């Protein structure tokens, strides 16, 4: 890639992970990159959510008790901003750097924990569901998240078990009772073992912070009993060479379009940012 100016160099640098970040990802299974997206970009992303949440759509998963949206899925097929976001170079650049081969959008969603009522996510490693439900052969998928609210210790942050991605297979069982979303939850004995070995880290940060973590990293999150909402955009990417072999779940839970993601320009959200800034007519 020809870099024509110092400005271009800075743009390219924002798409890449440093050697230190790659090492931390290999060691801990996750990295936290503060404010990778601007507050204006986050505001533009958030502005699309009320309309999406209001839709009576099968890809909107509703909490059992509160009746509010817990997860809105398949967003890049429902909204043009999210169709751009899944191709944003600051989001998918690290995955392309790490894989060095074509990747597809395996899952695209926003996970929400509404103030006072947000449901927990059980301890789990995503590969258990991808393998058991979708027939994905190898644990190569990568989670790319953007915090859309300020996430603190109070409003249901993700909990990571550092190093658990290097511990081999995690015993898991299908849990369709605890919450409104079915997934393969990790055995509590394994969670205890990993927590005693490496501790627990809460993934906190300001809006625009990016989280990257491996498919076999054990993670979960508590209920949100605080008065502050917590929403996180999530893109899971997977190498096309490692695609699903058993498409048993709905497309919005594991997308079947294996078209490789190609990055757009770094300013691909600018149209939506400007639209939000424009005064109402």
């Amino acid at each position: 890639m020809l870099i024509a100016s110092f400005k271009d160099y800075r743009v390219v640098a924002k798409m890449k992970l440093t050697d230190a970040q790659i090492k931390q990802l290999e060691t801990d299974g996750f990295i936290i990159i503060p404010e990778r997206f601007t507050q204006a970009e986050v505001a533009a992303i958030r502005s699309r959510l009320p309309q999406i949440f209001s839709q009576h759509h099968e890809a909107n998963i509703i909490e059992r008790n509160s009746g509010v949206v817990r997860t809105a899925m398949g967003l890049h097929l429902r909204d043009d901003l999210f169709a751009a976001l899944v191709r944003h170079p600051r989001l998918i650049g690290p995955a392309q750097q790490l894989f060095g081969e074509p990747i597809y959008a395996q899952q695209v969603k926003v996970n929400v924990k509404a103030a006072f009522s947000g449901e927990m996510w059980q301890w789990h490693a995503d590969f258990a569901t991808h393998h058991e439900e979708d027939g994905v052969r190898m644990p190569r998928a990568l989670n790319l998240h953007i915090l859309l609210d300020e996430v603190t210790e109070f409003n249901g942050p993700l909990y990571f078990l550092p190093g658990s991605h290097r511990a081999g297979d995690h015993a898991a069982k299908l849990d369709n009772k605890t919450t409104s979303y079915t997934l393969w939850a990790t055995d509590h004995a394994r969670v205890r073992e990993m927590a005693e070995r490496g501790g627990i880290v809460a993934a906190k940060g300001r809006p625009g912070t990016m989280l990257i973590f491996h498919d076999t990293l054990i993670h979960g999150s508590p209920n949100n009993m605080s008065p502050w909402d917590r929403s996180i955009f999530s893109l899971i990417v997977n190498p096309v060479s490692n695609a699903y072999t058993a498409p048993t779940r709905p497309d919005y839970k594991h997308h079947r379009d294996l078209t490789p993601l190609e990055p757009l320009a770094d300013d691909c959200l600018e149209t939506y940012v400007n639209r939000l800034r424009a005064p109402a007519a």
Side-chain angles (χ1 to χ4, degrees), residues 46-263:
R46 285 176 51 85
S47 72
R48 317 295 278 210
L49 298 182
Q51 191 275 333
I52 289 172
F53 293 167
S54 70
Q55 296 171 354
H56 295 287
H57 196 292
E58 63 177 351
N60 283 354
I61 312 299
I62 308 301
E63 290 185 350
R64 283 182 174 170
N65 297 322
S66 69
V68 301
V69 172
R70 165 191 173 92
T71 301
M73 309 183 81
L75 298 184
H76 64 312
L77 305 178
R78 301 166 61 184
D79 185 281
D80 57 351
L81 179 149
F82 289 102
L85 184 58
V86 298
R87 295 167 176 81
H88 199 295
R90 273 178 265 149
L91 188 66
I92 66 172
Q96 293 180 314
Q97 176 187 0
L98 293 168
F99 289 131
E101 61 177 293
I103 58 175
Y104 71 100
Q106 179 173 292
Q107 195 176 84
V108 183
K109 61 183 183 289
V110 167
N111 287 335
V112 181
K113 286 185 184 290
F116 297 112
S117 66
E119 289 181 337
M120 68 178 290
W121 284 85
Q122 309 93 303
W123 288 110
H124 66 286
D126 290 348
F127 180 63
T129 298
H130 301 160
H131 182 68
E132 297 291 344
E133 301 289 333
D134 309 315
V136 174
R137 297 180 296 274
M138 301 294 292
R140 300 188 63 204
L142 199 65
N143 283 267
L144 309 170
H145 286 191
I146 304 171
L147 305 187
L148 301 181
D149 293 300
E150 179 150 6
V151 177
T152 71
E153 63 268 36
F154 303 114
N155 62 344
L158 277 169
Y159 289 164
F160 292 143
L161 299 186
S164 57
H165 67 300
R166 294 184 283 109
D169 292 336
H170 305 305
K173 61 181 179 180
L174 188 65
D175 184 351
N176 58 8
K177 297 180 180 179
T178 302
T179 73
S180 57
Y181 189 85
T182 299
L183 83 168
W184 287 75
T186 305
D187 181 80
H188 284 179
R190 174 62 111 176
V191 173
R192 183 177 293 108
E193 175 191 354
M194 293 294 99
E196 290 176 349
R197 182 185 301 182
I200 301 175
V201 172
K204 301 180 289 185
R206 284 177 47 77
T209 294
M210 185 173 172
L211 313 177
I212 303 177
F213 58 98
H214 284 301
D215 209 28
T216 50
L217 182 77
I218 298 175
H219 60 287
S221 58
N223 293 54
N224 181 13
M225 61 184 292
S226 81
W228 305 293
D229 291 337
R230 189 228 73 175
S231 56
I232 300 177
F233 172 77
S234 170
L235 166 64
I236 301 178
V237 295
N238 192 27
V240 174
S241 63
N242 189 48
Y244 61 87
T245 61
T248 59
R249 295 197 293 168
D251 179 79
Y252 61 83
K253 288 189 176 180
H254 190 125
H255 297 297
R256 296 169 192 170
D257 183 355
L258 301 183
T259 303
L261 293 174
E262 295 292 342

